[in-house]
Amino acid sequence: MAESSIERRKEQVWFPHKTEVWALGQVVDPGEESTDCVVNYGGKDYTVKKSTTEEFDPTHLEDHEDVSKINNLNDGPLLSVLKRRYFNDDIYTNVANISISFNPYKWIDGLYDEPRAEKYMVDKIPHVYSVASVVYDLMTEKQEDQSVIVSGESGAGKTEACKKVMTFLAETSSLKSGGSSGTTTVEQKVMEC
């Protein structure tokens, strides 16, 4: 954020915070003649460099299934949305055609019920099944090879995500092929691995 953009008191800005990483605070002193400003967060004042702050937009406080729809996206609102969604057990969030997921370290009821392709393609809800549904459609309709990249740190849930993608592909293939003989389904291919 340019230093001159913090011009008035009560303006909200995102600023780096030691424990919250990014926090949304209210400008108490814009520091007109200084490179610093004073921001209040949680009843406490913080002196921060204006150059380290980021602009606030009202869309930052909305819950977004796809964070690419947030105006003026920067680290603060991105982390804020992901944190809110995580604590609401919404562990999947889209960034356009990329899906971000967090390991909840617990079982979430209903999260992996019936992997129906139609539900995840039509609604475009953030979920590992949505990613797998796109892959399945491209494989079957366009006859193109596909890859799913699952990355993350140790314990992030990569193995579980891969299992869910494979399960979805196998079940969808079996349902759509009707189990007809002579047809090689994704399920058969997966089982051969």
mmCIF file of all heavy atoms in Angstrom, residues 86-111:
data_model
loop_
_atom_site.group_PDB
_atom_site.id
_atom_site.type_symbol
_atom_site.label_atom_id
_atom_site.label_comp_id
_atom_site.label_asym_id
_atom_site.label_seq_id
_atom_site.Cartn_x
_atom_site.Cartn_y
_atom_site.Cartn_z
ATOM 1 N N TYR A 86 -12.272 -22.543 7.545
ATOM 2 C CA TYR A 86 -11.726 -23.690 8.270
ATOM 3 C C TYR A 86 -12.474 -23.908 9.586
ATOM 4 O O TYR A 86 -12.861 -25.028 9.911
ATOM 5 C CB TYR A 86 -10.229 -23.478 8.537
ATOM 6 C CG TYR A 86 -9.600 -24.567 9.362
ATOM 7 C CD1 TYR A 86 -9.183 -25.757 8.773
ATOM 8 C CD2 TYR A 86 -9.429 -24.418 10.738
ATOM 9 C CE1 TYR A 86 -8.611 -26.767 9.534
ATOM 10 C CE2 TYR A 86 -8.851 -25.422 11.498
ATOM 11 C CZ TYR A 86 -8.451 -26.594 10.892
ATOM 12 O OH TYR A 86 -7.885 -27.592 11.642
ATOM 13 N N PHE A 87 -12.680 -22.848 10.337
ATOM 14 C CA PHE A 87 -13.367 -22.983 11.625
ATOM 15 C C PHE A 87 -14.862 -23.273 11.475
ATOM 16 O O PHE A 87 -15.510 -23.660 12.447
ATOM 17 C CB PHE A 87 -13.111 -21.774 12.517
ATOM 18 C CG PHE A 87 -11.726 -21.791 13.117
ATOM 19 C CD1 PHE A 87 -10.802 -20.825 12.780
ATOM 20 C CD2 PHE A 87 -11.341 -22.797 13.991
ATOM 21 C CE1 PHE A 87 -9.525 -20.848 13.324
ATOM 22 C CE2 PHE A 87 -10.073 -22.838 14.537
ATOM 23 C CZ PHE A 87 -9.156 -21.857 14.198
ATOM 24 N N ASN A 88 -15.404 -23.113 10.270
ATOM 25 C CA ASN A 88 -16.791 -23.510 9.974
ATOM 26 C C ASN A 88 -16.837 -24.888 9.321
ATOM 27 O O ASN A 88 -17.859 -25.270 8.751
ATOM 28 C CB ASN A 88 -17.471 -22.480 9.066
ATOM 29 C CG ASN A 88 -17.817 -21.215 9.806
ATOM 30 O OD1 ASN A 88 -18.154 -21.245 10.977
ATOM 31 N ND2 ASN A 88 -17.716 -20.095 9.121
ATOM 32 N N ASP A 89 -15.726 -25.613 9.353
ATOM 33 C CA ASP A 89 -15.587 -26.936 8.738
ATOM 34 C C ASP A 89 -15.749 -26.914 7.224
ATOM 35 O O ASP A 89 -16.057 -27.927 6.606
ATOM 36 C CB ASP A 89 -16.555 -27.960 9.362
ATOM 37 C CG ASP A 89 -16.162 -28.326 10.788
ATOM 38 O OD1 ASP A 89 -14.981 -28.144 11.146
ATOM 39 O OD2 ASP A 89 -17.038 -28.803 11.529
ATOM 40 N N ASP A 90 -15.538 -25.754 6.603
ATOM 41 C CA ASP A 90 -15.494 -25.643 5.141
ATOM 42 C C ASP A 90 -14.018 -25.693 4.746
ATOM 43 O O ASP A 90 -13.390 -24.652 4.540
ATOM 44 C CB ASP A 90 -16.131 -24.324 4.667
ATOM 45 C CG ASP A 90 -17.604 -24.256 4.951
ATOM 46 O OD1 ASP A 90 -18.274 -25.298 4.843
ATOM 47 O OD2 ASP A 90 -18.098 -23.157 5.268
ATOM 48 N N ILE A 91 -13.481 -26.911 4.665
ATOM 49 C CA ILE A 91 -12.037 -27.051 4.497
ATOM 50 C C ILE A 91 -11.579 -26.863 3.054
ATOM 51 O O ILE A 91 -10.387 -26.793 2.796
ATOM 52 C CB ILE A 91 -11.538 -28.407 5.030
ATOM 53 C CG1 ILE A 91 -12.150 -29.567 4.258
ATOM 54 C CG2 ILE A 91 -11.794 -28.511 6.524
ATOM 55 C CD1 ILE A 91 -11.447 -30.890 4.489
ATOM 56 N N TYR A 92 -12.521 -26.778 2.107
ATOM 57 C CA TYR A 92 -12.172 -26.566 0.703
ATOM 58 C C TYR A 92 -12.566 -25.153 0.277
ATOM 59 O O TYR A 92 -13.664 -24.695 0.579
ATOM 60 C CB TYR A 92 -12.888 -27.567 -0.202
ATOM 61 C CG TYR A 92 -12.429 -28.990 0.001
ATOM 62 C CD1 TYR A 92 -13.192 -29.886 0.745
ATOM 63 C CD2 TYR A 92 -11.233 -29.431 -0.536
ATOM 64 C CE1 TYR A 92 -12.775 -31.192 0.941
ATOM 65 C CE2 TYR A 92 -10.796 -30.732 -0.341
ATOM 66 C CZ TYR A 92 -11.574 -31.606 0.396
ATOM 67 O OH TYR A 92 -11.143 -32.898 0.595
ATOM 68 N N THR A 93 -11.659 -24.482 -0.434
ATOM 69 C CA THR A 93 -11.914 -23.146 -0.965
ATOM 70 C C THR A 93 -11.285 -23.089 -2.346
ATOM 71 O O THR A 93 -10.175 -23.557 -2.545
ATOM 72 C CB THR A 93 -11.287 -22.059 -0.059
ATOM 73 O OG1 THR A 93 -11.777 -22.222 1.272
ATOM 74 C CG2 THR A 93 -11.620 -20.665 -0.552
ATOM 75 N N ASN A 94 -12.006 -22.502 -3.294
ATOM 76 C CA ASN A 94 -11.483 -22.380 -4.652
ATOM 77 C C ASN A 94 -10.762 -21.051 -4.848
ATOM 78 O O ASN A 94 -11.114 -20.044 -4.243
ATOM 79 C CB ASN A 94 -12.610 -22.472 -5.684
ATOM 80 C CG ASN A 94 -13.172 -23.864 -5.795
ATOM 81 O OD1 ASN A 94 -12.537 -24.839 -5.439
ATOM 82 N ND2 ASN A 94 -14.382 -23.967 -6.289
ATOM 83 N N VAL A 95 -9.764 -21.094 -5.716
ATOM 84 C CA VAL A 95 -9.127 -19.907 -6.249
ATOM 85 C C VAL A 95 -9.192 -20.110 -7.757
ATOM 86 O O VAL A 95 -8.337 -20.788 -8.331
ATOM 87 C CB VAL A 95 -7.660 -19.752 -5.787
ATOM 88 C CG1 VAL A 95 -7.076 -18.458 -6.330
ATOM 89 C CG2 VAL A 95 -7.546 -19.810 -4.284
ATOM 90 N N ALA A 96 -10.298 -19.622 -8.355
ATOM 91 C CA ALA A 96 -10.599 -19.886 -9.764
ATOM 92 C C ALA A 96 -10.688 -21.397 -9.967
ATOM 93 O O ALA A 96 -11.540 -22.037 -9.377
ATOM 94 C CB ALA A 96 -9.594 -19.200 -10.672
ATOM 95 N N ASN A 97 -9.782 -21.992 -10.751
ATOM 96 C CA ASN A 97 -9.863 -23.433 -11.010
ATOM 97 C C ASN A 97 -8.907 -24.262 -10.147
ATOM 98 O O ASN A 97 -8.655 -25.418 -10.423
ATOM 99 C CB ASN A 97 -9.634 -23.729 -12.499
ATOM 100 C CG ASN A 97 -8.253 -23.334 -12.954
ATOM 101 O OD1 ASN A 97 -7.519 -22.677 -12.239
ATOM 102 N ND2 ASN A 97 -7.892 -23.724 -14.157
ATOM 103 N N ILE A 98 -8.406 -23.660 -9.086
ATOM 104 C CA ILE A 98 -7.538 -24.358 -8.138
ATOM 105 C C ILE A 98 -8.307 -24.520 -6.837
ATOM 106 O O ILE A 98 -9.047 -23.630 -6.427
ATOM 107 C CB ILE A 98 -6.241 -23.552 -7.884
ATOM 108 C CG1 ILE A 98 -5.440 -23.433 -9.176
ATOM 109 C CG2 ILE A 98 -5.410 -24.171 -6.770
ATOM 110 C CD1 ILE A 98 -4.290 -22.461 -9.098
ATOM 111 N N SER A 99 -8.138 -25.651 -6.187
ATOM 112 C CA SER A 99 -8.812 -25.887 -4.913
ATOM 113 C C SER A 99 -7.781 -25.947 -3.793
ATOM 114 O O SER A 99 -6.806 -26.681 -3.885
ATOM 115 C CB SER A 99 -9.605 -27.199 -4.971
ATOM 116 O OG SER A 99 -10.340 -27.380 -3.796
ATOM 117 N N ILE A 100 -8.014 -25.154 -2.756
ATOM 118 C CA ILE A 100 -7.170 -25.176 -1.564
ATOM 119 C C ILE A 100 -7.908 -25.995 -0.514
ATOM 120 O O ILE A 100 -9.115 -25.824 -0.334
ATOM 121 C CB ILE A 100 -6.957 -23.751 -1.012
ATOM 122 C CG1 ILE A 100 -6.263 -22.862 -2.032
ATOM 123 C CG2 ILE A 100 -6.170 -23.789 0.296
ATOM 124 C CD1 ILE A 100 -6.188 -21.407 -1.607
ATOM 125 N N SER A 101 -7.194 -26.870 0.165
ATOM 126 C CA SER A 101 -7.835 -27.618 1.245
ATOM 127 C C SER A 101 -6.937 -27.626 2.468
ATOM 128 O O SER A 101 -5.719 -27.508 2.362
ATOM 129 C CB SER A 101 -8.152 -29.049 0.811
ATOM 130 O OG SER A 101 -6.974 -29.791 0.635
ATOM 131 N N PHE A 102 -7.582 -27.752 3.617
ATOM 132 C CA PHE A 102 -6.869 -27.852 4.879
ATOM 133 C C PHE A 102 -7.248 -29.150 5.550
ATOM 134 O O PHE A 102 -8.414 -29.535 5.539
ATOM 135 C CB PHE A 102 -7.241 -26.688 5.811
ATOM 136 C CG PHE A 102 -6.674 -25.382 5.376
ATOM 137 C CD1 PHE A 102 -7.404 -24.529 4.572
ATOM 138 C CD2 PHE A 102 -5.397 -25.013 5.759
ATOM 139 C CE1 PHE A 102 -6.883 -23.327 4.149
ATOM 140 C CE2 PHE A 102 -4.865 -23.809 5.340
ATOM 141 C CZ PHE A 102 -5.605 -22.956 4.533
ATOM 142 N N ASN A 103 -6.283 -29.813 6.147
ATOM 143 C CA ASN A 103 -6.555 -31.024 6.907
ATOM 144 C C ASN A 103 -7.249 -30.613 8.202
ATOM 145 O O ASN A 103 -6.668 -29.896 9.013
ATOM 146 C CB ASN A 103 -5.249 -31.757 7.218
ATOM 147 C CG ASN A 103 -5.485 -33.111 7.842
ATOM 148 O OD1 ASN A 103 -6.551 -33.392 8.366
ATOM 149 N ND2 ASN A 103 -4.468 -33.953 7.797
ATOM 150 N N PRO A 104 -8.495 -31.053 8.411
ATOM 151 C CA PRO A 104 -9.202 -30.642 9.631
ATOM 152 C C PRO A 104 -8.763 -31.428 10.870
ATOM 153 O O PRO A 104 -9.139 -31.072 11.979
ATOM 154 C CB PRO A 104 -10.661 -30.949 9.297
ATOM 155 C CG PRO A 104 -10.578 -32.099 8.351
ATOM 156 C CD PRO A 104 -9.323 -31.860 7.530
ATOM 157 N N TYR A 105 -7.989 -32.490 10.667
ATOM 158 C CA TYR A 105 -7.538 -33.353 11.758
ATOM 159 C C TYR A 105 -8.711 -33.899 12.567
ATOM 160 O O TYR A 105 -8.598 -34.122 13.766
ATOM 161 C CB TYR A 105 -6.535 -32.636 12.666
ATOM 162 C CG TYR A 105 -5.278 -32.262 11.928
ATOM 163 C CD1 TYR A 105 -5.075 -30.957 11.489
ATOM 164 C CD2 TYR A 105 -4.317 -33.211 11.636
ATOM 165 C CE1 TYR A 105 -3.933 -30.612 10.784
ATOM 166 C CE2 TYR A 105 -3.163 -32.884 10.936
ATOM 167 C CZ TYR A 105 -2.984 -31.582 10.512
ATOM 168 O OH TYR A 105 -1.864 -31.247 9.818
ATOM 169 N N LYS A 106 -9.843 -34.045 11.910
ATOM 170 C CA LYS A 106 -11.022 -34.650 12.524
ATOM 171 C C LYS A 106 -11.957 -35.076 11.400
ATOM 172 O O LYS A 106 -11.811 -34.642 10.254
ATOM 173 C CB LYS A 106 -11.744 -33.681 13.459
ATOM 174 C CG LYS A 106 -12.343 -32.471 12.730
ATOM 175 C CD LYS A 106 -13.042 -31.537 13.683
ATOM 176 C CE LYS A 106 -13.647 -30.363 12.926
ATOM 177 N NZ LYS A 106 -14.340 -29.436 13.814
ATOM 178 N N TRP A 107 -12.914 -35.938 11.722
ATOM 179 C CA TRP A 107 -13.906 -36.364 10.748
ATOM 180 C C TRP A 107 -15.020 -35.321 10.699
ATOM 181 O O TRP A 107 -15.504 -34.865 11.732
ATOM 182 C CB TRP A 107 -14.484 -37.724 11.107
ATOM 183 C CG TRP A 107 -15.448 -38.185 10.066
ATOM 184 C CD1 TRP A 107 -16.799 -38.190 10.143
ATOM 185 C CD2 TRP A 107 -15.116 -38.675 8.766
ATOM 186 N NE1 TRP A 107 -17.345 -38.647 8.963
ATOM 187 C CE2 TRP A 107 -16.330 -38.956 8.101
ATOM 188 C CE3 TRP A 107 -13.922 -38.893 8.089
ATOM 189 C CZ2 TRP A 107 -16.376 -39.446 6.808
ATOM 190 C CZ3 TRP A 107 -13.977 -39.381 6.801
ATOM 191 C CH2 TRP A 107 -15.184 -39.657 6.170
ATOM 192 N N ILE A 108 -15.402 -34.892 9.486
ATOM 193 C CA ILE A 108 -16.491 -33.938 9.314
ATOM 194 C C ILE A 108 -17.658 -34.685 8.676
ATOM 195 O O ILE A 108 -17.558 -35.127 7.524
ATOM 196 C CB ILE A 108 -16.064 -32.740 8.432
ATOM 197 C CG1 ILE A 108 -14.903 -31.993 9.098
ATOM 198 C CG2 ILE A 108 -17.253 -31.811 8.192
ATOM 199 C CD1 ILE A 108 -14.295 -30.893 8.249
ATOM 200 N N ASP A 109 -18.738 -34.842 9.429
ATOM 201 C CA ASP A 109 -19.912 -35.566 8.932
ATOM 202 C C ASP A 109 -20.424 -34.963 7.631
ATOM 203 O O ASP A 109 -20.556 -33.742 7.511
ATOM 204 C CB ASP A 109 -21.041 -35.559 9.975
ATOM 205 C CG ASP A 109 -20.728 -36.453 11.169
ATOM 206 O OD1 ASP A 109 -19.958 -37.419 10.999
ATOM 207 O OD2 ASP A 109 -21.254 -36.173 12.259
ATOM 208 N N GLY A 110 -20.713 -35.835 6.673
ATOM 209 C CA GLY A 110 -21.300 -35.423 5.405
ATOM 210 C C GLY A 110 -20.320 -34.910 4.371
ATOM 211 O O GLY A 110 -20.691 -34.667 3.225
ATOM 212 N N LEU A 111 -19.063 -34.744 4.743
ATOM 213 C CA LEU A 111 -18.090 -34.160 3.821
ATOM 214 C C LEU A 111 -17.831 -35.048 2.607
ATOM 215 O O LEU A 111 -17.631 -34.549 1.501
ATOM 216 C CB LEU A 111 -16.773 -33.874 4.542
ATOM 217 C CG LEU A 111 -15.716 -33.120 3.745
ATOM 218 C CD1 LEU A 111 -16.216 -31.746 3.333
ATOM 219 C CD2 LEU A 111 -14.445 -32.981 4.570
#
